[in-house]
Amino acid sequence: MHRHFILFKPYGYLSQFIYELKRKKKLLGELHDFPEGTMAIGRLDEDSEGLLLLTTDGNMSELVRSKKVEKEYYVQVDGLITPEAIEQLQNGVEIGLDGGKYKTKRCKASIVTEIPDFGARAKKIRDERHGPTSWASITVREGKFRQVRKMTAAVGFPTLRLVRVRIGNVYLQNLKAGEVLEVSDFELEN
């Protein structure tokens, strides 16, 4: 019987259970007593937060990582993001990837006016004295290395905070950073 978990990955944690290099890193196993064989489906960078699915089922992992499943991110950016920048994001932007250039696929993007209460981040984000910030929602079906951060930078609004809020039909719900919810299944169809 496979087990499945929804986790709000906090800032500063790696999306893995084992880290072989010398530097001490915070790992997912410190957040919950997961069963043996649990794996993260996909990843969130150490400095990204939000929804992470974990499972003991390798087939489920493959399904989620396929491009069919939408992943939605709320992104706090430096400056007041413009409708023009949102349109550029929707149409795809050129980002650096593996030493070359890559044009992102069309995606959904919008300005977010009602910011969910994600709670304070473990590492403080610069304060308002450095100018205003704003939030956008970006939904992609691909997941290149640090793609969403590179996308907002490409349109002139560098990412300050990135929180994944949805994978398919699985939402972050009201979980707080570090909280884990065991579920019977992932209802992924969009």
Side-chain angles (χ1 to χ4, degrees):
M1 186 70 186
H2 285 295
R3 295 175 68 188
H4 312 289
F5 304 89
I6 296 171
L7 164 69
F8 185 143
K9 186 190 93 60
Y11 177 89
Y13 281 77
L14 295 182
S15 294
Q16 57 201 63
F17 289 91
I18 300 167
Y19 184 72
E20 301 292 348
L21 302 177
K22 296 237 186 308
R23 288 198 347 246
K24 179 81 176 106
K25 295 286 188 177
K26 293 180 184 169
L27 305 174
L28 298 178
E30 298 170 36
L31 297 171
H32 185 79
D33 186 16
F34 292 105
E36 195 172 321
T38 301
M39 64 191 96
I41 302 177
R43 295 192 173 224
L44 282 171
D45 297 326
E46 188 174 2
D47 52 358
S48 299
E49 309 162 73
L51 182 61
L52 193 61
L53 307 181
L54 299 117
T55 184
T56 57
D57 181 356
N59 292 332
M60 178 67 75
S61 179
E62 282 304 309
L63 174 72
V64 176
R65 286 205 312 265
S66 76
K67 289 183 174 54
K68 298 182 199 91
V69 180
E70 285 187 342
K71 294 154 197 85
E72 182 179 4
Y73 299 85
Y74 275 22
V75 190
Q76 184 180 20
V77 297
D78 190 1
L80 299 176
I81 197 162
T82 62
E84 295 76 25
I86 292 291
E87 189 176 338
Q88 285 178 288
L89 291 168
Q90 291 169 341
N91 292 325
V93 294
E94 198 171 86
I95 61 173
L97 188 69
D98 298 330
K101 295 284 183 201
Y102 174 78
K103 184 164 191 230
T104 60
K105 295 185 171 31
R106 289 184 62 83
C107 71
K108 296 176 189 166
S110 61
I111 295 172
V112 174
T113 51
E114 278 203 37
I115 300 98
D117 179 14
F118 295 124
R121 194 175 77 174
K123 182 177 175 228
K124 189 171 178 349
I125 299 165
R126 66 161 181 74
D127 62 37
E128 297 296 320
R129 290 179 307 206
H130 296 94
T133 66
S134 57
W135 287 82
S137 163
I138 299 175
T139 302
V140 296
R141 289 181 181 266
E142 53 184 342
K144 305 293 183 205
F145 179 69
R146 296 180 79 78
Q147 178 177 338
V148 173
R149 291 174 186 280
K150 290 177 179 180
M151 287 170 68
T152 67
V155 298
F157 294 93
T159 294
L160 300 173
R161 186 176 187 185
L162 187 141
V163 182
R164 184 161 57 199
V165 295
R166 179 173 67 86
I167 299 172
N169 285 332
V170 181
Y171 288 82
L172 192 55
Q173 302 170 38
N174 293 322
L175 290 179
K176 299 289 178 225
E179 283 186 345
V180 176
L181 179 66
E182 186 162 0
V183 294
S184 59
D185 198 1
F186 299 127
E187 306 283 329
L188 291 170
E189 283 69 35
N190 288 17

